[in-house]
Amino acid sequence: MSYSRPDETWGYEPPEAPGAAEGSAWGDAYAGTAGAADERGGPAEPPGPDAPPRRTERRRAAARSGGTGAPPGSTGSYRTSGADGTEDHTLPPPSPALLHRLPAIAATIVISAGLVLGAQMERPVYAAGIAVLQLATVGLVTWVRRIDGAWVPLAVASLLAIAASTAAVVWTPVSLVPITVLLALGFGAAVAAQLVRRTHVGVTENLGFTMLLCLAVCGYACYIALSRLGSAPPAMYSAVVAAGTAILAARAVDLVMPDPRINRQVTRGAFGIVIGTMCGTASAAYAGLVIEGPDPTHAAVGGLLIALTAVLADLACGYMSASRRIDGAGTAPNPVVSAAGPLLAFAITGPVVYLLSAYYMID
């Protein structure tokens, strides 16, 4: 059974350029045959079955054969240039090249293995590794979003990442209270930072994005706190496996079936999102059977919630990139957008993993 990509050029045809035979009584369809008949000196005849294709059909054939105006290294039949030949950022972009989509798979494997294996090391070492993930998330996601006054989310989220990781290591007894208090302080710092900006352009956007990054870095700190709970780490392992499997499956399906897209402007396939969520749920249920601690039924239900959260957070980076491109503000390179997705996904999944592992998945 083979899969062929559909023709995605429909609905984005450039306007017809007026030709010399625009005033012909028969219209453009017979203009070519009428001109040929005049050269032969005979009467014009309607086009037969062997007549050359019309301009719209020739244009679609050229688009399918590679004349899409897409940047080098991209795939797909989406057109990125308008009628005048210049690039039109409002048109759906082509699918990124294969090498540009591999960083997401590599990042997912590294993060999943690091969260599971690092939990068995000393807590300061584990916290140092988590801090690297936090700072990478802050930097790459900010690069993808490209907002005005980017120094505010960079500074506030970076300071909060260090403080939250430290509190998760040293606070006794283990609790989310210190992380929650620091998160509230980060929100306050984000509001105060808007007062010292040189311009107040995009205040709401800047504030909302800063709060998103604050939540992301605190989500990674939840893994540190969860690793200190006596009976929770086995449940955390199954939860991380569910999130990692969901993202890996979604990204792998996108490599072979990128269409139909979840949105024409976002280069992610709809099949990948659905199949990824199903695979994440199945992997969590199987981990509940293999790993001693989590109940298999509870692990399956929790894995469904975790997998759905992970794939949607990963998809959010695609929407961030598409929104900037549509606005004409440019966006980050495709490998950066690809790697930022899993980083943000595991960050947003952190609080969900903590709550389910500590209060639900343990039998």
Side-chain angles (χ1 to χ4, degrees):
M1 179 178 181
S2 60
Y3 172 77
S4 59
R5 299 188 57 177
D7 178 17
E8 296 287 356
T9 60
W10 61 272
Y12 292 95
E13 299 292 341
E16 294 278 354
E22 185 176 2
S24 174
W26 293 101
D28 290 342
Y30 302 99
T33 56
D38 291 342
E39 292 178 358
R40 296 193 302 266
E45 297 180 359
D50 298 332
R54 298 175 60 181
R55 283 179 295 176
T56 301
E57 298 172 355
R58 289 197 300 268
R59 193 178 299 114
R60 290 182 177 177
R64 287 191 292 269
S65 62
T68 61
S74 60
T75 60
S77 56
Y78 288 87
R79 182 182 293 109
T80 58
S81 59
D84 55 355
T86 60
E87 184 176 0
D88 188 352
H89 55 79
T90 62
L91 296 179
S95 298
L98 175 63
L99 292 179
H100 294 174
R101 290 182 282 175
L102 293 181
I105 298 178
T108 303
I109 297 175
V110 170
I111 297 172
S112 301
L115 292 177
V116 173
L117 299 179
Q120 305 174 24
M121 300 180 180
E122 296 293 333
R123 292 297 163 263
V125 178
Y126 191 38
I130 291 292
V132 173
L133 295 179
Q134 290 172 321
L135 297 180
T137 302
V138 171
L140 292 185
V141 177
T142 302
W143 191 353
V144 172
R145 194 65 184 93
R146 297 171 64 97
I147 64 172
D148 296 322
W151 66 269
V152 174
L154 286 174
V156 174
S158 299
L159 294 176
L160 180 60
I162 298 175
S165 298
T166 303
V169 171
V170 302
W171 190 271
T172 303
V174 180
S175 175
L176 288 184
V177 172
I179 299 177
T180 305
V181 172
L182 290 174
L183 178 60
L185 294 177
F187 287 172
V191 175
Q194 306 301 322
L195 303 177
V196 298
R197 289 178 56 193
R198 293 183 179 180
T199 62
H200 293 87
V201 178
V203 172
T204 304
E205 181 184 19
N206 188 290
L207 181 61
F209 182 69
T210 305
M211 292 182 176
L212 172 64
L213 289 186
C214 289
L215 180 62
V217 297
C218 289
Y220 272 117
C222 292
Y223 292 106
I224 304 176
L226 187 59
S227 66
R228 295 176 59 196
L229 293 176
S231 58
M236 184 187 76
Y237 301 155
S238 63
V240 171
V241 167
T245 304
I247 299 174
L248 278 177
R251 292 287 185 167
V253 172
D254 284 347
L255 294 179
V256 295
M257 288 192 300
D259 294 314
R261 292 183 177 181
I262 196 74
N263 183 285
R264 294 185 66 85
Q265 298 287 352
V266 180
T267 57
R268 294 293 306 276
F271 288 120
I273 303 300
V274 177
I275 296 176
T277 303
M278 297 170 60
C279 291
T281 306
S283 65
Y286 181 75
L289 295 174
V290 175
I291 301 176
E292 183 178 356
D295 178 76
T297 304
H298 292 174
V301 176
L304 172 61
L305 299 177
I306 292 169
L308 184 60
T309 303
V311 295
L312 292 181
D314 182 23
L315 180 64
C317 273
Y319 277 90
M320 288 184 189
S321 177
S323 65
R324 299 304 293 171
R325 189 185 58 81
I326 294 173
D327 292 341
T331 184
N334 286 324
V336 175
V337 179
S338 179
L343 284 168
L344 182 63
F346 280 98
I348 300 300
T349 309
V352 182
V353 172
Y354 185 97
L355 295 175
L356 291 177
S357 299
Y359 301 108
Y360 179 73
M361 293 172 64
I362 298 297
D363 188 7

